Amino acid sequence: LTRNYVMVLDFILLHGRAVLNTVIFCLAVIITHLVVNPLCAYALSRYGLPYAYKVLLFLLATMAFPAEVAMIPNFLLLKKLNLLNTYWALILPGMASGFAIFLLKGFFDSLPKELYEAGLIDGASEARMFWQITIPLSKPIFAVIALQSFTAAYGAFMFAFLVCQNPKMWTMMVWLYELQITAPKYITMAALTVAAIPTLLVFIFAQKVIMRGIILPSFK
């Protein structure tokens, strides 16, 4: 039993920089998603722009197409910019998410407007209200976005393999696929179990914050 897991861990740790690449990739995706998407959603929610509906409709339209449709255009664009086999190739195409912006906007719309009115009366700037009012009240939805970003980045295989074909830039999923090509079934099952552990641990540690999203902001 332990020999199978030892073989999987040895393959991941000793071949290339799979763990380092995966950690950098996941952290960068989480940070960019928690910076870009909330700012866009906050602007659509707070400013009452006349074209906000069209922007939101455009963002939702991006969800109608599977990720595979955008892989080749993204690859060609990254190739023109000489960004292939870099961390930027993994991070830049997915910095903004239409679903995350839609989810965040709906949550921001439900926050009490009286808090922002009080902030304006006290002379708070928009940036300060976003930092001191919106973010503290939005921790549950931020946890959901972070968890979704982590699972998407951690489980990315096809796009990560497409834009980073250099083995030095392969993530853990690419290395596990390489292992599964020649490994027997019991090694493959051990590899899948090892790959599932980080996602399980992240959800266990974040579940309390996520469950709070069910009752927020109703009791604020």
Side-chain angles (χ1 to χ4, degrees), residues 119-137:
L120 290 174
I121 294 174
D122 291 339
S125 63
E126 203 67 47
R128 186 172 182 181
M129 287 191 293
F130 176 74
W131 183 257
Q132 294 187 351
I133 297 177
T134 305
I135 291 181
L137 292 177

mmCIF file with all atom_site columns, all heavy atoms in Angstrom, residues 119-137:
data_model
loop_
_atom_site.group_PDB
_atom_site.id
_atom_site.type_symbol
_atom_site.label_atom_id
_atom_site.label_alt_id
_atom_site.label_comp_id
_atom_site.label_asym_id
_atom_site.label_entity_id
_atom_site.label_seq_id
_atom_site.pdbx_PDB_ins_code
_atom_site.Cartn_x
_atom_site.Cartn_y
_atom_site.Cartn_z
_atom_site.occupancy
_atom_site.B_iso_or_equiv
_atom_site.pdbx_formal_charge
_atom_site.auth_seq_id
_atom_site.auth_comp_id
_atom_site.auth_asym_id
_atom_site.auth_atom_id
_atom_site.pdbx_PDB_model_num
ATOM 1   N N   . GLY A 1 119 ? -20.779 55.977 5.097  1.00 0.00 ? 119 GLY A N   1
ATOM 2   C CA  . GLY A 1 119 ? -19.385 56.219 4.726  1.00 0.00 ? 119 GLY A CA  1
ATOM 3   C C   . GLY A 1 119 ? -19.230 57.507 3.937  1.00 0.00 ? 119 GLY A C   1
ATOM 4   O O   . GLY A 1 119 ? -18.276 58.271 4.153  1.00 0.00 ? 119 GLY A O   1
ATOM 5   N N   . LEU A 1 120 ? -20.166 57.775 3.027  1.00 0.00 ? 120 LEU A N   1
ATOM 6   C CA  . LEU A 1 120 ? -20.110 59.025 2.261  1.00 0.00 ? 120 LEU A CA  1
ATOM 7   C C   . LEU A 1 120 ? -20.301 60.237 3.155  1.00 0.00 ? 120 LEU A C   1
ATOM 8   O O   . LEU A 1 120 ? -19.641 61.273 2.989  1.00 0.00 ? 120 LEU A O   1
ATOM 9   C CB  . LEU A 1 120 ? -21.180 58.998 1.163  1.00 0.00 ? 120 LEU A CB  1
ATOM 10  C CG  . LEU A 1 120 ? -20.940 58.025 0.010  1.00 0.00 ? 120 LEU A CG  1
ATOM 11  C CD1 . LEU A 1 120 ? -22.152 57.994 -0.922 1.00 0.00 ? 120 LEU A CD1 1
ATOM 12  C CD2 . LEU A 1 120 ? -19.677 58.411 -0.760 1.00 0.00 ? 120 LEU A CD2 1
ATOM 13  N N   . ILE A 1 121 ? -21.205 60.121 4.122  1.00 0.00 ? 121 ILE A N   1
ATOM 14  C CA  . ILE A 1 121 ? -21.433 61.236 5.054  1.00 0.00 ? 121 ILE A CA  1
ATOM 15  C C   . ILE A 1 121 ? -20.174 61.514 5.876  1.00 0.00 ? 121 ILE A C   1
ATOM 16  O O   . ILE A 1 121 ? -19.831 62.671 6.152  1.00 0.00 ? 121 ILE A O   1
ATOM 17  C CB  . ILE A 1 121 ? -22.626 60.924 5.979  1.00 0.00 ? 121 ILE A CB  1
ATOM 18  C CG1 . ILE A 1 121 ? -23.922 60.870 5.152  1.00 0.00 ? 121 ILE A CG1 1
ATOM 19  C CG2 . ILE A 1 121 ? -22.744 61.956 7.094  1.00 0.00 ? 121 ILE A CG2 1
ATOM 20  C CD1 . ILE A 1 121 ? -25.128 60.423 5.939  1.00 0.00 ? 121 ILE A CD1 1
ATOM 21  N N   . ASP A 1 122 ? -19.468 60.447 6.244  1.00 0.00 ? 122 ASP A N   1
ATOM 22  C CA  . ASP A 1 122 ? -18.241 60.609 7.038  1.00 0.00 ? 122 ASP A CA  1
ATOM 23  C C   . ASP A 1 122 ? -17.049 61.012 6.183  1.00 0.00 ? 122 ASP A C   1
ATOM 24  O O   . ASP A 1 122 ? -15.940 61.181 6.719  1.00 0.00 ? 122 ASP A O   1
ATOM 25  C CB  . ASP A 1 122 ? -17.912 59.307 7.772  1.00 0.00 ? 122 ASP A CB  1
ATOM 26  C CG  . ASP A 1 122 ? -18.921 59.014 8.875  1.00 0.00 ? 122 ASP A CG  1
ATOM 27  O OD1 . ASP A 1 122 ? -19.584 59.969 9.317  1.00 0.00 ? 122 ASP A OD1 1
ATOM 28  O OD2 . ASP A 1 122 ? -19.050 57.841 9.278  1.00 0.00 ? 122 ASP A OD2 1
ATOM 29  N N   . GLY A 1 123 ? -17.247 61.142 4.876  1.00 0.00 ? 123 GLY A N   1
ATOM 30  C CA  . GLY A 1 123 ? -16.161 61.598 4.006  1.00 0.00 ? 123 GLY A CA  1
ATOM 31  C C   . GLY A 1 123 ? -15.224 60.501 3.545  1.00 0.00 ? 123 GLY A C   1
ATOM 32  O O   . GLY A 1 123 ? -14.103 60.796 3.109  1.00 0.00 ? 123 GLY A O   1
ATOM 33  N N   . ALA A 1 124 ? -15.656 59.248 3.621  1.00 0.00 ? 124 ALA A N   1
ATOM 34  C CA  . ALA A 1 124 ? -14.788 58.146 3.186  1.00 0.00 ? 124 ALA A CA  1
ATOM 35  C C   . ALA A 1 124 ? -14.740 58.094 1.667  1.00 0.00 ? 124 ALA A C   1
ATOM 36  O O   . ALA A 1 124 ? -15.741 58.318 0.985  1.00 0.00 ? 124 ALA A O   1
ATOM 37  C CB  . ALA A 1 124 ? -15.304 56.815 3.735  1.00 0.00 ? 124 ALA A CB  1
ATOM 38  N N   . SER A 1 125 ? -13.568 57.817 1.151  1.00 0.00 ? 125 SER A N   1
ATOM 39  C CA  . SER A 1 125 ? -13.411 57.672 -0.292 1.00 0.00 ? 125 SER A CA  1
ATOM 40  C C   . SER A 1 125 ? -13.961 56.320 -0.736 1.00 0.00 ? 125 SER A C   1
ATOM 41  O O   . SER A 1 125 ? -14.221 55.429 0.073  1.00 0.00 ? 125 SER A O   1
ATOM 42  C CB  . SER A 1 125 ? -11.933 57.786 -0.675 1.00 0.00 ? 125 SER A CB  1
ATOM 43  O OG  . SER A 1 125 ? -11.183 56.730 -0.088 1.00 0.00 ? 125 SER A OG  1
ATOM 44  N N   . GLU A 1 126 ? -14.131 56.174 -2.060 1.00 0.00 ? 126 GLU A N   1
ATOM 45  C CA  . GLU A 1 126 ? -14.656 54.920 -2.581 1.00 0.00 ? 126 GLU A CA  1
ATOM 46  C C   . GLU A 1 126 ? -13.695 53.763 -2.299 1.00 0.00 ? 126 GLU A C   1
ATOM 47  O O   . GLU A 1 126 ? -14.125 52.648 -2.000 1.00 0.00 ? 126 GLU A O   1
ATOM 48  C CB  . GLU A 1 126 ? -14.887 55.040 -4.087 1.00 0.00 ? 126 GLU A CB  1
ATOM 49  C CG  . GLU A 1 126 ? -15.892 54.058 -4.640 1.00 0.00 ? 126 GLU A CG  1
ATOM 50  C CD  . GLU A 1 126 ? -17.307 54.321 -4.150 1.00 0.00 ? 126 GLU A CD  1
ATOM 51  O OE1 . GLU A 1 126 ? -17.746 55.484 -4.187 1.00 0.00 ? 126 GLU A OE1 1
ATOM 52  O OE2 . GLU A 1 126 ? -17.968 53.348 -3.729 1.00 0.00 ? 126 GLU A OE2 1
ATOM 53  N N   . ALA A 1 127 ? -12.398 54.050 -2.401 1.00 0.00 ? 127 ALA A N   1
ATOM 54  C CA  . ALA A 1 127 ? -11.406 53.004 -2.128 1.00 0.00 ? 127 ALA A CA  1
ATOM 55  C C   . ALA A 1 127 ? -11.464 52.568 -0.670 1.00 0.00 ? 127 ALA A C   1
ATOM 56  O O   . ALA A 1 127 ? -11.343 51.371 -0.354 1.00 0.00 ? 127 ALA A O   1
ATOM 57  C CB  . ALA A 1 127 ? -10.004 53.517 -2.466 1.00 0.00 ? 127 ALA A CB  1
ATOM 58  N N   . ARG A 1 128 ? -11.659 53.533 0.238  1.00 0.00 ? 128 ARG A N   1
ATOM 59  C CA  . ARG A 1 128 ? -11.721 53.183 1.657  1.00 0.00 ? 128 ARG A CA  1
ATOM 60  C C   . ARG A 1 128 ? -12.986 52.391 1.970  1.00 0.00 ? 128 ARG A C   1
ATOM 61  O O   . ARG A 1 128 ? -12.948 51.449 2.775  1.00 0.00 ? 128 ARG A O   1
ATOM 62  C CB  . ARG A 1 128 ? -11.673 54.450 2.495  1.00 0.00 ? 128 ARG A CB  1
ATOM 63  C CG  . ARG A 1 128 ? -11.590 54.177 3.997  1.00 0.00 ? 128 ARG A CG  1
ATOM 64  C CD  . ARG A 1 128 ? -11.355 55.438 4.777  1.00 0.00 ? 128 ARG A CD  1
ATOM 65  N NE  . ARG A 1 128 ? -11.221 55.159 6.194  1.00 0.00 ? 128 ARG A NE  1
ATOM 66  C CZ  . ARG A 1 128 ? -11.019 56.100 7.128  1.00 0.00 ? 128 ARG A CZ  1
ATOM 67  N NH1 . ARG A 1 128 ? -10.898 57.374 6.764  1.00 0.00 ? 128 ARG A NH1 1
ATOM 68  N NH2 . ARG A 1 128 ? -10.923 55.757 8.398  1.00 0.00 ? 128 ARG A NH2 1
ATOM 69  N N   . MET A 1 129 ? -14.098 52.737 1.351  1.00 0.00 ? 129 MET A N   1
ATOM 70  C CA  . MET A 1 129 ? -15.333 51.979 1.583  1.00 0.00 ? 129 MET A CA  1
ATOM 71  C C   . MET A 1 129 ? -15.209 50.563 1.036  1.00 0.00 ? 129 MET A C   1
ATOM 72  O O   . MET A 1 129 ? -15.716 49.613 1.636  1.00 0.00 ? 129 MET A O   1
ATOM 73  C CB  . MET A 1 129 ? -16.528 52.709 0.947  1.00 0.00 ? 129 MET A CB  1
ATOM 74  C CG  . MET A 1 129 ? -16.942 53.965 1.701  1.00 0.00 ? 129 MET A CG  1
ATOM 75  S SD  . MET A 1 129 ? -18.530 54.625 1.140  1.00 0.00 ? 129 MET A SD  1
ATOM 76  C CE  . MET A 1 129 ? -18.100 55.142 -0.523 1.00 0.00 ? 129 MET A CE  1
ATOM 77  N N   . PHE A 1 130 ? -14.523 50.441 -0.094 1.00 0.00 ? 130 PHE A N   1
ATOM 78  C CA  . PHE A 1 130 ? -14.314 49.100 -0.643 1.00 0.00 ? 130 PHE A CA  1
ATOM 79  C C   . PHE A 1 130 ? -13.447 48.272 0.293  1.00 0.00 ? 130 PHE A C   1
ATOM 80  O O   . PHE A 1 130 ? -13.716 47.087 0.515  1.00 0.00 ? 130 PHE A O   1
ATOM 81  C CB  . PHE A 1 130 ? -13.650 49.213 -2.015 1.00 0.00 ? 130 PHE A CB  1
ATOM 82  C CG  . PHE A 1 130 ? -13.308 47.883 -2.635 1.00 0.00 ? 130 PHE A CG  1
ATOM 83  C CD1 . PHE A 1 130 ? -14.288 47.072 -3.166 1.00 0.00 ? 130 PHE A CD1 1
ATOM 84  C CD2 . PHE A 1 130 ? -11.993 47.446 -2.664 1.00 0.00 ? 130 PHE A CD2 1
ATOM 85  C CE1 . PHE A 1 130 ? -13.977 45.838 -3.723 1.00 0.00 ? 130 PHE A CE1 1
ATOM 86  C CE2 . PHE A 1 130 ? -11.666 46.218 -3.215 1.00 0.00 ? 130 PHE A CE2 1
ATOM 87  C CZ  . PHE A 1 130 ? -12.656 45.416 -3.755 1.00 0.00 ? 130 PHE A CZ  1
ATOM 88  N N   . TRP A 1 131 ? -12.425 48.886 0.866  1.00 0.00 ? 131 TRP A N   1
ATOM 89  C CA  . TRP A 1 131 ? -11.485 48.154 1.710  1.00 0.00 ? 131 TRP A CA  1
ATOM 90  C C   . TRP A 1 131 ? -12.047 47.870 3.106  1.00 0.00 ? 131 TRP A C   1
ATOM 91  O O   . TRP A 1 131 ? -11.833 46.791 3.657  1.00 0.00 ? 131 TRP A O   1
ATOM 92  C CB  . TRP A 1 131 ? -10.184 48.934 1.810  1.00 0.00 ? 131 TRP A CB  1
ATOM 93  C CG  . TRP A 1 131 ? -9.120  48.246 2.607  1.00 0.00 ? 131 TRP A CG  1
ATOM 94  C CD1 . TRP A 1 131 ? -8.730  48.529 3.886  1.00 0.00 ? 131 TRP A CD1 1
ATOM 95  C CD2 . TRP A 1 131 ? -8.313  47.142 2.200  1.00 0.00 ? 131 TRP A CD2 1
ATOM 96  N NE1 . TRP A 1 131 ? -7.735  47.688 4.296  1.00 0.00 ? 131 TRP A NE1 1
ATOM 97  C CE2 . TRP A 1 131 ? -7.456  46.814 3.283  1.00 0.00 ? 131 TRP A CE2 1
ATOM 98  C CE3 . TRP A 1 131 ? -8.225  46.396 1.024  1.00 0.00 ? 131 TRP A CE3 1
ATOM 99  C CZ2 . TRP A 1 131 ? -6.543  45.767 3.204  1.00 0.00 ? 131 TRP A CZ2 1
ATOM 100 C CZ3 . TRP A 1 131 ? -7.310  45.359 0.953  1.00 0.00 ? 131 TRP A CZ3 1
ATOM 101 C CH2 . TRP A 1 131 ? -6.486  45.066 2.039  1.00 0.00 ? 131 TRP A CH2 1
ATOM 102 N N   . GLN A 1 132 ? -12.782 48.833 3.678  1.00 0.00 ? 132 GLN A N   1
ATOM 103 C CA  . GLN A 1 132 ? -13.211 48.703 5.069  1.00 0.00 ? 132 GLN A CA  1
ATOM 104 C C   . GLN A 1 132 ? -14.658 48.258 5.233  1.00 0.00 ? 132 GLN A C   1
ATOM 105 O O   . GLN A 1 132 ? -15.052 47.867 6.336  1.00 0.00 ? 132 GLN A O   1
ATOM 106 C CB  . GLN A 1 132 ? -12.997 50.033 5.802  1.00 0.00 ? 132 GLN A CB  1
ATOM 107 C CG  . GLN A 1 132 ? -11.533 50.424 5.934  1.00 0.00 ? 132 GLN A CG  1
ATOM 108 C CD  . GLN A 1 132 ? -11.337 51.654 6.813  1.00 0.00 ? 132 GLN A CD  1
ATOM 109 O OE1 . GLN A 1 132 ? -12.299 52.320 7.191  1.00 0.00 ? 132 GLN A OE1 1
ATOM 110 N NE2 . GLN A 1 132 ? -10.085 51.951 7.128  1.00 0.00 ? 132 GLN A NE2 1
ATOM 111 N N   . ILE A 1 133 ? -15.458 48.340 4.172  1.00 0.00 ? 133 ILE A N   1
ATOM 112 C CA  . ILE A 1 133 ? -16.861 47.921 4.270  1.00 0.00 ? 133 ILE A CA  1
ATOM 113 C C   . ILE A 1 133 ? -17.122 46.674 3.432  1.00 0.00 ? 133 ILE A C   1
ATOM 114 O O   . ILE A 1 133 ? -17.611 45.662 3.936  1.00 0.00 ? 133 ILE A O   1
ATOM 115 C CB  . ILE A 1 133 ? -17.812 49.061 3.842  1.00 0.00 ? 133 ILE A CB  1
ATOM 116 C CG1 . ILE A 1 133 ? -17.665 50.266 4.782  1.00 0.00 ? 133 ILE A CG1 1
ATOM 117 C CG2 . ILE A 1 133 ? -19.247 48.567 3.827  1.00 0.00 ? 133 ILE A CG2 1
ATOM 118 C CD1 . ILE A 1 133 ? -18.524 51.457 4.387  1.00 0.00 ? 133 ILE A CD1 1
ATOM 119 N N   . THR A 1 134 ? -16.767 46.763 2.148  1.00 0.00 ? 134 THR A N   1
ATOM 120 C CA  . THR A 1 134 ? -17.114 45.667 1.235  1.00 0.00 ? 134 THR A CA  1
ATOM 121 C C   . THR A 1 134 ? -16.320 44.402 1.520  1.00 0.00 ? 134 THR A C   1
ATOM 122 O O   . THR A 1 134 ? -16.897 43.308 1.628  1.00 0.00 ? 134 THR A O   1
ATOM 123 C CB  . THR A 1 134 ? -16.888 46.113 -0.223 1.00 0.00 ? 134 THR A CB  1
ATOM 124 O OG1 . THR A 1 134 ? -17.616 47.322 -0.467 1.00 0.00 ? 134 THR A OG1 1
ATOM 125 C CG2 . THR A 1 134 ? -17.352 45.028 -1.180 1.00 0.00 ? 134 THR A CG2 1
ATOM 126 N N   . ILE A 1 135 ? -15.011 44.531 1.644  1.00 0.00 ? 135 ILE A N   1
ATOM 127 C CA  . ILE A 1 135 ? -14.174 43.343 1.823  1.00 0.00 ? 135 ILE A CA  1
ATOM 128 C C   . ILE A 1 135 ? -14.493 42.598 3.123  1.00 0.00 ? 135 ILE A C   1
ATOM 129 O O   . ILE A 1 135 ? -14.651 41.367 3.109  1.00 0.00 ? 135 ILE A O   1
ATOM 130 C CB  . ILE A 1 135 ? -12.685 43.722 1.730  1.00 0.00 ? 135 ILE A CB  1
ATOM 131 C CG1 . ILE A 1 135 ? -12.337 44.136 0.297  1.00 0.00 ? 135 ILE A CG1 1
ATOM 132 C CG2 . ILE A 1 135 ? -11.797 42.560 2.185  1.00 0.00 ? 135 ILE A CG2 1
ATOM 133 C CD1 . ILE A 1 135 ? -10.897 44.494 0.089  1.00 0.00 ? 135 ILE A CD1 1
ATOM 134 N N   . PRO A 1 136 ? -14.603 43.276 4.284  1.00 0.00 ? 136 PRO A N   1
ATOM 135 C CA  . PRO A 1 136 ? -14.937 42.525 5.507  1.00 0.00 ? 136 PRO A CA  1
ATOM 136 C C   . PRO A 1 136 ? -16.269 41.792 5.430  1.00 0.00 ? 136 PRO A C   1
ATOM 137 O O   . PRO A 1 136 ? -16.411 40.694 5.990  1.00 0.00 ? 136 PRO A O   1
ATOM 138 C CB  . PRO A 1 136 ? -14.962 43.614 6.600  1.00 0.00 ? 136 PRO A CB  1
ATOM 139 C CG  . PRO A 1 136 ? -14.067 44.687 6.075  1.00 0.00 ? 136 PRO A CG  1
ATOM 140 C CD  . PRO A 1 136 ? -14.291 44.690 4.596  1.00 0.00 ? 136 PRO A CD  1
ATOM 141 N N   . LEU A 1 137 ? -17.259 42.377 4.750  1.00 0.00 ? 137 LEU A N   1
ATOM 142 C CA  . LEU A 1 137 ? -18.559 41.724 4.639  1.00 0.00 ? 137 LEU A CA  1
ATOM 143 C C   . LEU A 1 137 ? -18.584 40.626 3.574  1.00 0.00 ? 137 LEU A C   1
ATOM 144 O O   . LEU A 1 137 ? -19.523 39.830 3.538  1.00 0.00 ? 137 LEU A O   1
ATOM 145 C CB  . LEU A 1 137 ? -19.635 42.765 4.304  1.00 0.00 ? 137 LEU A CB  1
ATOM 146 C CG  . LEU A 1 137 ? -19.952 43.794 5.395  1.00 0.00 ? 137 LEU A CG  1
ATOM 147 C CD1 . LEU A 1 137 ? -20.972 44.800 4.880  1.00 0.00 ? 137 LEU A CD1 1
ATOM 148 C CD2 . LEU A 1 137 ? -20.481 43.106 6.642  1.00 0.00 ? 137 LEU A CD2 1
#
